[in-house]
Amino acid sequence: MEKKPHFVRREFLPREMPSISLALLLVAVLLLNAFLYLYLNKFYSSLGRVETDPGLCPFGHFKFGAVKNCSPWLSCEAINKEVRKLKCVGEGAVKKAFLSEWKEKKVVLSQLSNSELKEDFLHGLKMLKALQSKYVVRLLGYCEQQFTILTEYHPLGSLRGLNETLHIPKYKGMNTWHRRLMLAIDYVSVIRYLHSSPLGTLVMCDSNDLDKVLSQYLLTSDFHVLVNDLDALPLVNRSAGRLVKCGHRELRGEFVAPEQRWPYGEDVPFEDDLMPPYDEKTDIWKIPDVSNFFLGHVEGSDIVRLHLFDIHAACKKKDPAERPSAQEVLDTYRKVLTLLIREAAMPGTREML
């Protein structure tokens, strides 16, 4: 009789404790999921899930920095009087870019550098005006007569310098799989925006190799990606049977999509008139290579690549019709980010449950 209470106590406690632990664990998981929901909802908004940026001004106007009011795009007269060139910071086939100053603010003044490419310059200006959004560098003014464009300055420059930037002591804390995957998501968000833009389906044609792709985008000081160069952005219109060709020269190499390469073999000389046109799925083919650059070789990046393996394999389908849309790629990237953040926040949760 004296041993019975002792026996009951030994039986009861081992059963009670696991139940309490499991309940606490479930509460922790629910709280974590709530936190992740709030965090990722804020994160996706910052990436541009909503197309309209409340910080953007009405068409024909701009604001940046701490300025609250919108100003009209600067005219030829204003640019000539108020903008002061400082130094050349870049030169491409179409234009030169000069670091400049306007009202004590750093800006970029771009000017036509090759008179034979006036149409490309004006096309880029047209795209820049029409596509102003959180995905595109901010337009401050322009002068068509003088082939001049004024845009916001981003001191970290193009994405070509990403790895060098991440090795600067100030930015070393950003050199993580998490931040790098967010940049890849930014990049795919831009592609998705171009493929469903207000003008229709646009193809990023200045993308024949990785270095060229990276030169088209800027890295902002808060580590986001903006498209900067829109000179080669033709329109696909399937309903009208309108496809595109990126230039009039033969494209080679594994970076460009199979349909962009000359299909008739080495024995047949390249002729632009015989080259079949293609659609926006050429951009999808290049996503895995660009994302691989973004992910780099930091701790955890190989795990991210493993999770992205299937969607990247789909991007590399030889038949363009079998490749996913940019929206499908973007959705997958976001799901992988959510999954990996959850696993990093509570490692071993699955095993405990």
Side-chain angles (χ1 to χ4, degrees):
M1 294 294 291
E2 294 176 2
K3 293 182 179 180
K4 188 171 182 181
H6 182 60
F7 175 77
V8 170
R9 194 178 297 115
R10 288 176 60 190
E11 281 291 316
F12 175 76
L13 286 175
R15 291 180 181 175
E16 186 75 13
M17 290 303 290
S19 300
I20 295 173
S21 299
L22 183 60
L24 290 173
L25 178 61
L26 289 173
V27 170
V29 170
L30 290 173
L31 288 173
L32 175 64
N33 283 335
F35 168 78
L36 286 172
Y37 173 80
L38 293 172
Y39 168 77
L40 292 168
N41 186 57
K42 182 179 179 182
F43 165 67
Y44 291 152
S45 295
S46 72
L47 283 181
R49 181 181 283 268
V50 180
E51 301 298 344
T52 306
D53 184 348
L56 287 175
C57 294
F59 183 81
H61 295 73
F62 74 92
K63 66 177 179 179
F64 70 104
V67 178
K68 292 183 178 180
N69 297 325
C70 294
S71 302
W73 286 335
L74 272 64
S75 64
C76 297
E77 183 182 3
I79 291 173
N80 291 332
K81 285 185 177 180
E82 301 172 15
V83 177
R84 182 169 64 95
K85 283 185 191 178
L86 299 177
K87 63 177 181 178
C88 182
V89 291
E91 182 174 3
V94 178
K95 54 187 180 285
K96 275 187 180 181
F98 297 88
L99 175 62
S100 304
E101 196 171 57
W102 174 71
K103 293 187 176 181
E104 300 182 350
K105 297 181 179 69
K106 295 290 190 296
V107 293
V108 175
L109 187 71
S110 299
Q111 295 182 316
L112 179 68
S113 60
N114 185 343
S115 59
E116 294 180 0
L117 297 175
K118 289 179 181 178
E119 288 187 11
D120 296 83
F121 184 94
L122 293 175
H123 177 75
L125 174 58
K126 177 184 175 182
M127 294 294 105
L128 196 54
K129 290 192 291 184
L131 298 175
Q132 284 294 289
S133 65
K134 59 177 61 183
Y135 306 106
V136 179
V137 69
R138 190 164 297 158
L139 178 65
L140 308 180
Y142 63 93
C143 180
E144 283 193 37
Q145 297 94 314
Q146 298 172 9
F147 296 96
T148 299
I149 299 173
L150 194 69
T151 54
E152 189 173 11
Y153 173 63
H154 293 279
L156 295 183
S158 79
L159 288 175
R160 285 189 295 190
L162 175 63
N163 288 324
E164 289 75 11
T165 297
L166 289 172
H167 282 95
I168 297 173
K170 179 181 177 181
Y171 299 111
K172 277 190 175 180
M174 298 284 196
N175 197 16
T176 63
W177 70 262
H178 174 248
R179 179 59 63 174
R180 283 175 170 271
L181 178 55
M182 287 168 70
L183 289 174
I185 289 174
D186 263 0
Y187 165 71
V188 177
S189 296
V190 173
I191 298 299
R192 197 267 307 166
Y193 174 66
L194 295 178
H195 287 186
S196 57
S197 82
L199 301 177
T201 302
L202 299 168
V203 181
M204 194 67 176
C205 265
D206 257 347
S207 56
N208 297 337
D209 57 62
L210 178 61
D211 192 64
K212 186 63 174 175
V213 171
L214 299 175
S215 71
Q216 309 302 304
Y217 296 86
L218 295 171
L219 179 64
T220 67
S221 296
D222 59 350
F223 270 71
H224 284 284
V225 173
L226 296 175
V227 63
N228 180 52
D229 195 330
L230 304 174
D231 295 343
L233 210 61
L235 178 69
V236 168
N237 187 339
R238 282 196 189 82
S239 60
R242 182 179 176 181
L243 300 178
V244 304
K245 287 191 286 188
C246 291
H248 304 288
R249 298 180 180 178
E250 182 177 1
L251 302 178
R252 296 176 179 269
E254 292 299 315
F255 188 83
V256 296
E259 63 271 23
Q260 291 184 281
R261 302 173 211 153
W262 180 242
Y264 303 117
E266 296 289 339
D267 296 334
V268 181
F270 177 82
E271 282 189 48
D272 184 43
D273 292 340
L274 298 179
M275 180 67 199
Y278 34 82
D279 61 18
E280 77 281 3
K281 290 298 184 74
T282 58
D283 289 334
I284 304 300
W285 171 274
K286 297 159 189 174
I287 286 176
D289 299 291
V290 180
S291 290
N292 187 53
F293 168 81
F294 278 123
L295 293 174
H297 300 285
V298 297
E299 182 179 354
S301 62
D302 286 342
I303 298 297
V304 179
R305 286 186 180 89
L306 184 63
H307 282 276
L308 296 177
F309 180 85
D310 288 342
I311 191 68
H312 283 174
C315 291
K316 290 293 187 180
K317 294 280 190 181
K318 189 172 182 180
D319 182 354
E322 295 181 6
R323 295 174 205 154
S325 66
Q327 183 66 61
E328 290 170 324
V329 177
L330 182 59
D331 290 341
T332 302
Y333 274 39
R334 286 171 168 167
K335 287 176 184 176
V336 168
L337 177 64
T338 303
L339 172 67
L340 292 177
I341 289 177
R342 183 180 290 121
E343 290 183 352
M346 288 196 71
T349 303
R350 194 175 298 169
E351 290 78 2
M352 293 171 70
L353 290 173

